[in-house]
Amino acid sequence: MDEGIDGGFARTAVATRQRITRGVLGAVLNAVLPRGCAGCDMPDMVLCPSCEDIFARSQCYALGGVEMGFGYVCAAYRGAARQAVLAWKDHGDEECTPAFAQALAALALRVDIEQAAHGREILIVPAPSSSRSVRRRGRWHMLPLARRLARLLREGGVNARVAPVLTMRGVARKSVEMRGSSQRAGRIGGHIVMRRGADIEGSLVMLIDDIVTTGSTMRQCVGVLGSSGAIVLTALALAQAGESQRSPDRQRAVR
C-alpha cells in the first residue's frame, strides 16, 4: 500500500539527516585519524594502487538473456576486495564511489560496450536495493555509483545515461546471508519490478550491481527489463562471490 507523500518526505528527511551526520563524523575522524585504504588500510589513500589493481582482474560468467552472452565482474569477492566493497556499501565509505566507478568504466571499455551498442545510447540501470537496506544505510549506494560511471563513460566517448527504472519490494534478508542458490533465488524471485511510469521499450541497457553471488539478482533484472521491451547488453559488478567463483571452468578472463 502506498504510504503517501508525507511518508515519503519523512523517509527522505531521515536519510538526509543520517548522511549529514555521517559526513560530519567522517570529517572529524579524518582530521584526527587520517583515513587508510578501504581494502588494506594503507595510510592516506582511498584505494591504494595494489587494491586498485585487484579490481582490474576481470572475469566473466554466463548470463542468459543478455546480448553479449556474459556478465562481467571487476574482482573476486574476497580479501582486500571484500573489505573495500563492504566499507563502501555497508559502512558509509562514500569516498570509494569514484574509484569503483572508474573500475566499472574501465571494465565496460575493455569488453567493448560501445561496439556492442553500435553508437546508440546506453541506459545504465543500477540493481535495486530493498527499502530496508536503503533505510539502514541512509542511501541507495548504487545510484551515485551509476551517475559517476555514466559521466566517465561519456568522457570516454560512450553515449550513456542513468536510468534507475528498477525497484525491489518485500525482501527481508541480504543475498550474501543466504546459504545456497535456491535460497537466494527464492529471496529475489518476483520482488524486482519496474518503477511506475518507466518506459524503456527498445532501449539498450547495461545493468550494474555491487556483488554477484549466484547471479539470481542479475537474472531477475534481465528478465524484468526484457519483459519491458529493453535490450540488455550485459551486466557489470564490482565483485563476484559464492559458488560460481569456485568454478573457473564456467568462466573466462576478460582480455
Side-chain angles (χ1 to χ4, degrees), residues 50-99:
S50 293
C51 289
E52 286 181 346
D53 182 64
I54 290 173
F55 285 95
R57 300 172 187 175
S58 313
Q59 295 286 330
C60 70
Y61 61 96
L63 182 61
V66 300
E67 292 294 299
M68 297 174 71
F70 294 90
Y72 299 89
V73 298
C74 294
Y77 186 62
R78 60 186 178 222
R82 180 179 183 275
Q83 180 171 318
V85 172
L86 286 179
W88 166 73
K89 178 180 178 179
D90 288 336
H91 302 295
D93 193 351
E94 296 179 52
E95 290 185 79
C96 290
T97 298

Side-chain angles (χ1 to χ4, degrees), residues 65 67 120 200-206 225-226 229-234:
E67 292 294 299
R120 291 179 56 190
I200 57 171
E201 186 171 359
S203 299
L204 298 183
V205 166
M206 180 174 71
L225 292 167
I231 301 167
V232 185
L233 296 176
T234 188

Side-chain angles (χ1 to χ4, degrees), residues 18-215:
Q18 290 174 336
R19 293 193 66 180
I20 292 172
T21 300
R22 284 200 311 271
V24 171
L25 290 175
V28 171
L29 287 174
N30 284 337
V32 178
L33 298 171
R35 68 159 297 141
C37 169
C40 68
D41 296 323
M42 180 178 287
D44 301 324
M45 291 188 176
V46 175
L47 206 63
C48 74
S50 293
C51 289
E52 286 181 346
D53 182 64
I54 290 173
F55 285 95
R57 300 172 187 175
S58 313
Q59 295 286 330
C60 70
Y61 61 96
L63 182 61
V66 300
E67 292 294 299
M68 297 174 71
F70 294 90
Y72 299 89
V73 298
C74 294
Y77 186 62
R78 60 186 178 222
R82 180 179 183 275
Q83 180 171 318
V85 172
L86 286 179
W88 166 73
K89 178 180 178 179
D90 288 336
H91 302 295
D93 193 351
E94 296 179 52
E95 290 185 79
C96 290
T97 298
F100 285 155
Q102 184 65 57
L104 288 175
L107 177 59
L109 294 176
R110 281 199 299 276
V111 302
D112 293 329
I113 194 68
E114 184 178 19
Q115 182 178 353
H118 301 291
R120 291 179 56 190
E121 180 184 62
I122 299 172
L123 301 184
I124 298 176
V125 177
S129 294
S130 68
S131 57
R132 178 182 178 185
S133 294
V134 171
R135 288 194 299 270
R136 177 171 55 82
R137 296 179 185 126
R139 75 200 200 284
W140 181 17
H141 64 297
M142 292 300 301
L143 188 55
L145 180 67
R147 288 170 174 163
R148 180 67 69 119
L149 172 59
R151 187 188 315 166
L152 290 171
L153 288 177
R154 288 195 298 270
E155 291 173 358
V158 180
N159 185 8
R161 68 179 175 92
V162 179
V165 297
L166 295 177
T167 188
M168 187 179 289
R169 61 186 181 189
V171 176
R173 296 175 61 190
K174 292 183 183 180
S175 178
V176 292
E177 291 175 349
M178 299 293 183
R179 295 184 178 179
S181 58
S182 61
Q183 283 191 16
R184 295 188 185 100
R187 169 192 178 271
I188 297 299
H191 293 291
I192 295 176
V193 297
M194 291 289 293
R195 291 184 182 275
R196 187 177 302 173
D199 182 7
I200 57 171
E201 186 171 359
S203 299
L204 298 183
V205 166
M206 180 174 71
L207 277 166
I208 65 168
D209 203 356
D210 47 23
I211 305 165
V212 176
T213 51
T214 64

